[in-house]
Amino acid sequence: MANILFINSSARTTGSISRQVAGEFVAKLQASQPGSVVVERDVAANPIPHLDEQKLGAFFTPADKRSAEQQALVKVSEELIAEVNAADIIVIGAPMYNFSITSTLKTWIDHVARAGVTFKYTETGPVGLIQGKKVYVFTSRGGVYSEGPAKVMDFHETYLRGVLGFIGMTDITFVHSEGLGMGEAAVEKAIAQTRETIGTLVAA
């Protein structure tokens, strides 16, 4: 039994490979662990408001000194962080857009990565405060970025691994569906490989 947080970030609701394979993984994971609860957060269908000066001001105001307006401004962030804290497993569908993540997923991160709440600075450096989570990230990419000449343009896995690790989530498995813009045969091959990986992960 596990609490699973499932985050989708593709702008596409149909034809999205990241949604498809991440959804298949969550379904198999839930079936393998009877009683598991899945909380879904679709940051594309229901976008999170971007940060602005007022929200940042509310974040950095001590909780007991916030005005009613500031309390309202931090409500979404507090809800998102509570979902993360309650989860044992976090599954993220994260397509590559222009060599990195979607703007909607970045906004989710901006609300979750908060100084003094999910990470803190110490005399010896920053410390992540979200511990004990297992994270799976399912990506979809038109080209091949995990190896070869385009690897230097991968600000996708590198960013997610860095920022999630910064707030304490270091146990991350990436599953890349790559080469999706290289023809129908490449798409079929990528999906088949991803499904094989899903079977291995669920059986582990």
Side-chain angles (χ1 to χ4, degrees):
M1 178 175 176
N3 291 321
I4 303 168
L5 175 60
F6 180 23
I7 300 167
N8 271 307
S9 63
S10 174
R12 302 169 68 187
T13 55
T14 58
S16 167
I17 300 299
S18 66
R19 285 181 182 274
Q20 178 183 334
V21 296
E24 290 178 12
F25 175 70
V26 169
K28 289 181 180 295
L29 191 63
Q30 191 175 22
S32 72
Q33 300 188 35
S36 295
V37 176
V38 177
V39 172
E40 293 192 40
R41 171 70 67 169
D42 192 329
V43 298
N46 299 289
I48 299 160
H50 286 288
L51 297 186
D52 55 26
E53 186 173 3
Q54 288 71 35
K55 289 185 183 67
L56 288 173
F59 286 173
F60 288 103
T61 300
D64 60 349
K65 297 185 183 303
R66 289 180 187 139
S67 66
E69 180 183 7
Q70 287 178 317
Q71 293 286 7
L73 288 171
V74 302
K75 184 179 179 182
V76 170
S77 174
E78 298 289 346
E79 289 175 353
L80 297 174
I81 292 170
E83 288 176 354
V84 172
N85 283 329
D88 303 301
I89 299 169
I90 299 169
V91 180
I92 303 174
M96 175 185 274
Y97 285 17
N98 297 318
F99 314 117
S100 189
I101 62 173
T102 65
S103 62
T104 52
L105 184 55
K106 175 61 165 60
T107 304
W108 179 83
I109 290 169
D110 288 342
H111 280 261
V112 169
R114 283 177 50 193
V117 181
T118 56
F119 71 92
K120 65 180 179 179
Y121 291 106
T122 71
E123 293 180 354
T124 56
V127 175
L129 301 177
I130 300 179
Q131 303 289 332
K133 312 297 180 185
K134 175 58 190 174
V135 182
Y136 297 92
V137 180
F138 287 83
T139 76
S140 55
R141 300 164 160 193
V144 176
Y145 297 89
S146 61
E147 60 183 8
K151 187 173 183 178
V152 295
M153 300 178 75
D154 180 4
F155 308 107
H156 188 210
E157 176 177 342
T158 51
Y159 174 71
L160 281 173
R161 191 176 291 281
V163 72
L164 295 176
F166 187 82
I167 60 177
M169 294 188 281
T170 56
D171 187 0
I172 308 174
T173 297
F174 280 83
V175 182
H176 297 302
S177 297
E178 297 190 298
L180 301 176
M182 298 179 174
E184 190 174 322
V187 172
E188 292 177 358
K189 179 180 178 181
I191 293 176
Q193 289 176 337
T194 295
R195 284 177 173 157
E196 183 178 349
T197 301
I198 287 172
T200 301
L201 291 173
V202 173

